[in-house]
Amino acid sequence: MAEKQVMVVAADESEHSAYALEWTLEHFVTPFGPNTPFKLVIVHAKPMPSSVVGLSGPGAAEVLPIVDADLRRQAARVSEKAKEFCASKSIKDVVVEVIEGDARNVLCDAVERHHASVLVVGSHGYGAIKRAVLGSVSDYCAHHAHCSVMIVKRPKTKH
């Protein structure tokens, strides 16, 4: 049998990320059962404490270990939630990775490392100003990942 293609799915603690994973499983994995054409690699980029705190000098040394412990707990929660969700859909061919660094670089590196055919990212739906300030992970990946990039957007809620 031919080797399965790799699909890298970005995961963080947001509901946008959870929706993207759920949507991807429903459309590309679950309907095919064990014959799915994809091996899933779920990747969570754990921010570096220094990038979150954004301070240096006196006091930084005491704060960084606390922030790092918090980020590790968050990463463990994201990983567990992804594993549990896949298990609930009877998906066994999945790997969950936590890699420290900026999400943009972590995801593009994961695509290279796994020779992925597809990268799936959720869209946070930021407005133009917030996107300009924060930068869009999905936009960056769409331009820099060496594979197809699928940006999963939540449907707009009807008022």
Side-chain angles (χ1 to χ4, degrees), residues 19-67:
Y19 179 80
L21 177 60
E22 182 177 357
W23 190 92
T24 301
L25 295 182
E26 284 177 9
H27 290 84
F28 290 95
V29 182
T30 311
F32 301 98
N35 300 321
T36 176
F38 295 104
K39 174 184 180 190
L40 282 179
V41 177
I42 299 172
V43 177
H44 172 67
K46 178 180 122 12
M48 287 187 242
S50 55
S51 70
V52 174
V53 175
L55 62 90
S56 58
E62 291 80 38
V63 174
L64 290 177
I66 297 164
V67 172

Side-chain angles (χ1 to χ4, degrees), residues 44-50 68 71-72 98-103 106:
H44 172 67
K46 178 180 122 12
M48 287 187 242
S50 55
D68 190 49
L71 291 170
R72 286 178 196 279
V98 174
I99 300 162
E100 190 171 72
D102 180 89
V106 165

